[in-house]
Amino acid sequence: MTEESVPAFSDLSLHPAVLKVIQEVGYETPTPIQAQSIPPLLAGTDLLGQAQTGTGKTAAFSLPLLSRLNPKLKAPQILVLTPTRELALQVAEAMQTYARHLKGFQVLPVYGGQNMSQQLRQLRRGVQAVVGTPGRIQDHLNRGTLKLDKLSCVIIDEADEMLKMGFIDDVEKILGFAPQERQTALFSATMPKEVLQVARKHLRDPVEIRIKSKTSTVEKISQFFWQVKGLHKLDALTRILEAEEIDGMLIFVRTKVATVDLAEKLGARGFSSAALNGDMAQMLREKTIERLKDGSLDIVVATDVAARGLDVKRISHVINYDIPYDTEAYIHRIGRTGRAGREGKAILFVAPREKRMLAAIERTTRQPIKAMALPSRKDITNRRIGLFKEQIAQAMESQDLEFFEELIDEYQSEYDVGHRKIAASLAYLLQKERPLQPDERFAEEIREERPERETGPGRGRKTSDEQMQTYRIEVGRVHGVEPGNIVGAISNEGNLNSRDIGRIRLFDQFSLVDLPKNLSQEKLHKLKTVWVCDEQLQISPDSGSRSGSLERPIKRRTFGRGKAADNRGYKPGVKKAPFGKRVAKKREKTT
Ligand code: AMP
């Protein structure tokens, strides 16, 4: 499909309630698979689609089917078969979102290993869509707990995966339970002959859709991918922005909402950037592009549509923050750099489930995309030092420094210290808010395990001792706290015996401490305002949720009976001095 012929969502005759959600989630235009699948699926035609995950396939079938659904009829009308539990959950979640404004709509994910009685209860209550793995769906069909007599459409998703996992016979059996007069759509990333056989047998005059990808070469652009792992994409992007020599940068995200959101987040981190999306007035869009051209703006966060045809020579980097939904979009995106004979760099963020799209892109561009490691703490330190030196040189060259030279001479003779010491102190002051050496948290490279995995959120975080409960306190490793400080503060101020203080886990920004469950409100209230290492404890029962990926426990320690508390760092009743206050680090624009 050519760029010009892409229809708008509003041209596709979707239900107004569904269109409203599309607006809300910020999808700008239908992806190629959506543009081609929605009309036949709305018309009730069978469909055979070759498309992979990441192409917008879920919406391609969900939007038309939901548009045709009868929400008043409390019986399964849509059945989606998926090879895995993860996909079932994902599809069910997406459907529920797209049906947000369809009153009374319910979707049920059904998969093995899940509580059967809960599923039965929900099935009895009446659901309009069921998304599940073949095994468990068959169980329900055989028991008679799932009835398909009112079914109007079956979707077979990732059919080639079903084949690989040995589910294809089950799929056929399930189809035997569905009414003859139904619509069937089959999606598959590849079309092995067994999948085609199923399609031939069960689909009637299907429309065939294949998202073709042109092969293209993009020689002047060096391409890299970063496998999203351990760090948030935003943190990874921040590091790249800090370490790379960037002239102009174009960052691609999938939705209009995300353009604004990411531009704001980057702004909060000190990187001035602007959003570019189809919702913006033409004049504002043009102004933004003009600013990018003339260098008054370096970073633009855009959707594919808004960046179509963008020709700005100084774009040195394209970041695919969200992976594109087809290879053509990728080629178009990265083609925004390497213009006018210049070199360009393209970086693609790839989540584990998006690896297939990466392989497809490599095939299309006929170029390997190299895996990249994120810049290390040392890389960033070096870059900051380099910029710092440049600033010094610039000031020396361009400013009249006589007044300051005299001031330094005066200081030297008054205080009897060398120039080196004075210069070092001034350098310290200059970088204090944004240290040349990023703090240690920055150095935390890819982390496999995050602390919440140990017990899972919302599980109460009980220790093995039933009498204990986990509390969160807002002092952590970055504040220099030691377990002994915590024991000292809690036992003294909370009037607790140190043997009542259980496991302590220190994280970067906060800590978890196990205390008796029956702590009085009065004690808790008192503990809230206790200062440790210049931070108030602000104690609260731990909910198990963690924000930020840079946090991890560094110590596990149980304080045994009568173990002496170490009170260093804890000053009873001493308020934090105003200068001790940690200032939120503001980054200046570096690109
Ligand atoms: P899927 O291929 O169904 O797994 O979808 C991949 C991702 O694309 C999901 O995160 C969707 O929210 C997103 N998506 C689907 N359709 C669109 C669209 N038209 N515009 C932007 N993002 C979309």
Side-chain angles (χ1 to χ4, degrees), residues 9 26-31 34 52-59 87 90 98 254-255 325 353:
F9 273 117
Y27 295 171
E28 211 156 38
T29 46
T31 66
Q34 289 163 2
Q52 41 222 329
T53 307
T55 51
K57 162 169 66 76
T58 314
L87 188 61
Q90 210 176 294
Y98 299 137
R254 285 205 151 159
T255 64
Y325 26 70
R353 59 180 279 270

Side-chain angles (χ1 to χ4, degrees), residues 356-367:
R356 271 184 174 206
M357 182 55 92
L358 172 66
I361 291 170
E362 285 186 314
R363 271 199 307 278
T364 310
T365 57
R366 297 214 190 102
Q367 275 181 23

